[in-house]
Amino acid sequence: MIIFTAVLGFVLTSLGFGATSALAAGESLQGTLINAGQPVAGVVINVSDESGTSAGKATSGADGKWSVTVKGAGTYKVDLDTTTLPQGVTVTNGRPSLTLTVFEGAARNVLFPLGQAAAPGSKPAEPEGSSTADRVFDLIYTGIHFGLIIALAALGLSLIFGTMGLTNFAHGELITFGALGCFLLNVTVGLPLVVSGILAVVLGGAFGWFQDRVFWGWLRNRRTGLIGMMIISIGAALVLRYVYLFAFRGDTKQYAEYVAQPGMDLGIISVAPKNLVMDVVAIVVLLLVSLALTMTRLGKATRAVATNPSLAAASGISVDAIIRLVWTIGGALAALSGVMLGLFQGVNYQMGFQILLLVFAAVTLGGLGTAFGALVGSLVVGLATQLSTLWIPTELKNVGALVVLIVIILFRPQGILGRRERIG
């Protein structure tokens, strides 16, 4: 089985499925200019990188749409040339210039709210300007928001590791499964995004149950070693990733709803309402799952299996049933993480693979097999990832999270909330 999976992954790569850079659309900035429900054409948009060098230029078309392909992930400044706006039309929030971060392989949507120009004699909008403090507060919120998304996936991965001891490298494809399932239901089928997201989470849980029922459970019954199962998970990740590529292609897609929303002014930061809703949902789900693990009989059975499977089985607990339940919960949590990540930065066939390293870092940092540790580790990783861009290029921001991981593991090998264990 191990040899078959490795050979299949090699064959797929040899056939060109591994050439992701050629098939993916790459990073870009895009938007649609609308005034009073009508598209605004002929408006010039200039994009520059952090050094001030021009990164591209676009003019809105008859449908109001514009797009600029950039050289890679990073922070870019987007300037709307107000002199090209139709007479009497202005940017209503007084911000014709925005500084935005483009993630790897993602198309970042840019929103310039347009409306009628202010009447003569009214108070002019405050000049655009972004202080270091404003950027720090924005990065702190973005880090917490990103950390909560990671935490959903990390909690599922931590539960699977806790009950099986398996380091599952295919967990990133469970994240992608949720995002692509939601996209299919929302864009192709035409269901509302909220309904599509809920159904995608249900499908993610069913996919996790199915995997354990027909694949991982069979390997357990054959007493396949953990090293062998880990290698198989790498092959499974490759197979699933390129199945997604074949079915959905390599470009970054967007949901049909809530793609671009005007931010709510919260004083020190401006946050889109969809992000606040996602934060609340993530916090509620994480708390409910964590409390269920500590306060319910099913949670106690899960912890018993994680602590000592043989003793749990001798006590009358069905170990296979508990592990299958954990795979179901893990698949649902990963799918929810994928739905939110797709709303945050777009849907792409390799989005789960791109954050898998951060998910592993969060689980290890918080303490392997601990639910609350996964949450704490994810928040640390999210904040470290975003705040590191104050000193290093955005392309290297993941290094910040990994440096924090290395430093903490050097002084606390069991992780932040992990327990010391005697070996030997």
Side-chain angles (χ1 to χ4, degrees):
M1 175 60 70
I2 297 175
I3 297 176
F4 170 76
T5 309
V7 170
L8 181 57
F10 173 78
V11 170
L12 289 171
T13 306
S14 302
L15 291 174
F17 288 107
T20 59
S21 59
L23 293 173
E27 299 79 12
S28 64
L29 290 151
Q30 62 187 24
T32 304
L33 300 179
I34 300 292
N35 176 45
Q38 299 297 321
V40 180
V43 180
V44 176
I45 307 291
N46 295 293
V47 179
S48 56
D49 58 22
E50 290 183 289
S51 65
T53 305
S54 176
K57 180 178 179 181
T59 303
S60 59
D63 55 358
K65 296 183 182 295
W66 62 270
S67 178
V68 175
T69 301
V70 293
K71 60 183 179 181
T75 301
Y76 295 90
K77 184 179 181 184
V78 185
D79 296 297
L80 184 147
D81 188 349
T82 55
T83 62
T84 60
L85 287 171
Q87 186 175 4
V89 177
T90 186
V91 182
T92 56
N93 64 358
R95 296 180 178 179
S97 297
L98 299 173
T99 301
L100 302 168
T101 300
V102 179
F103 298 96
E104 182 180 355
R108 181 68 185 266
N109 288 281
V110 185
L111 178 65
F112 288 110
L114 303 181
Q116 296 302 310
S122 61
K123 183 180 178 180
E126 296 182 3
E128 169 69 16
S130 176
S131 66
T132 302
D134 292 335
R135 188 183 178 197
V136 169
F137 285 123
D138 183 66
L139 289 175
I140 289 175
Y141 171 74
T142 304
I144 294 174
H145 179 70
F146 189 45
L148 289 173
I149 294 176
I150 294 175
L152 291 168
L155 179 55
L157 182 64
S158 181
L159 290 174
I160 293 172
F161 178 86
T163 53
M164 286 185 60
L166 171 65
T167 304
N168 181 23
F169 283 89
H171 197 73
E173 275 48 60
L174 293 176
I175 299 172
T176 309
F177 179 86
L180 293 178
C182 183
F183 174 83
L184 182 66
L185 293 168
N186 177 233
V187 177
T188 306
V189 178
L191 296 177
L193 182 59
V194 174
V195 176
S196 300
I198 294 173
L199 292 177
V201 172
V202 174
L203 290 175
F207 188 41
W209 179 90
F210 177 79
Q211 280 194 47
D212 187 70
R213 177 68 178 82
V214 304
F215 189 58
W216 300 111
W218 179 70
L219 291 175
R220 282 198 309 275
N221 292 334
R222 290 176 58 88
R223 301 190 181 277
T224 304
L226 289 176
I227 297 298
M229 293 177 75
M230 182 186 69
I231 295 174
I232 291 173
S233 75
I234 297 175
L238 286 171
V239 172
L240 287 173
R241 193 177 312 150
Y242 296 122
V243 167
Y244 297 153
L245 173 61
F246 179 79
F248 290 90
R249 303 307 176 191
D251 55 326
T252 300
K253 302 175 176 65
Q254 303 291 339
Y255 297 135
E257 303 168 62
Y258 308 113
V259 175
Q261 283 185 322
M264 296 171 57
D265 191 0
L266 302 181
I268 56 178
I269 58 174
S270 179
V271 182
K274 64 179 182 180
N275 291 344
L276 294 177
V277 172
M278 285 192 288
D279 293 339
V280 172
V281 171
I283 291 172
V284 170
V285 170
L286 290 169
L287 288 178
L288 287 178
V289 174
S290 299
L291 291 175
L293 289 172
T294 57
M295 300 179 65
T296 65
R297 293 183 61 185
L298 198 57
K300 293 178 181 178
T302 302
R303 288 186 286 121
V305 171
T307 302
N308 192 325
S310 300
L311 183 59
S315 302
I317 297 174
S318 176
V319 175
D320 276 344
I322 292 297
I323 292 178
R324 196 149 299 150
L325 174 65
V326 165
W327 270 95
T328 303
I329 296 174
L333 290 172
L336 179 58
S337 175
V339 171
M340 292 185 176
L341 187 63
L343 194 57
F344 183 51
Q345 65 180 44
V347 179
N348 188 279
Y349 80 97
Q350 57 180 353
M351 56 190 293
F353 166 71
Q354 290 170 345
I355 71 163
L356 183 61
L357 183 61
L358 298 180
V359 174
F360 276 125
V363 172
T364 307
L365 190 60
L368 291 170
T370 62
F372 287 106
L375 173 58
V376 173
S378 298
L379 291 176
V380 173
V381 167
L383 287 169
T385 300
Q386 298 302 319
L387 289 174
S388 64
T389 59
L390 291 170
W391 304 282
I392 63 176
T394 306
E395 296 89 338
L396 302 177
K397 65 180 182 179
N398 289 354
V399 173
L402 298 180
V403 168
V404 172
L405 172 66
I406 292 172
V407 170
I408 291 182
I409 294 302
L410 284 175
F411 295 97
R412 189 175 174 83
Q414 71 271 30
I416 297 174
L417 297 183
R419 294 178 298 178
R420 290 182 179 271
E421 294 184 4
R422 182 174 179 177
I423 300 176

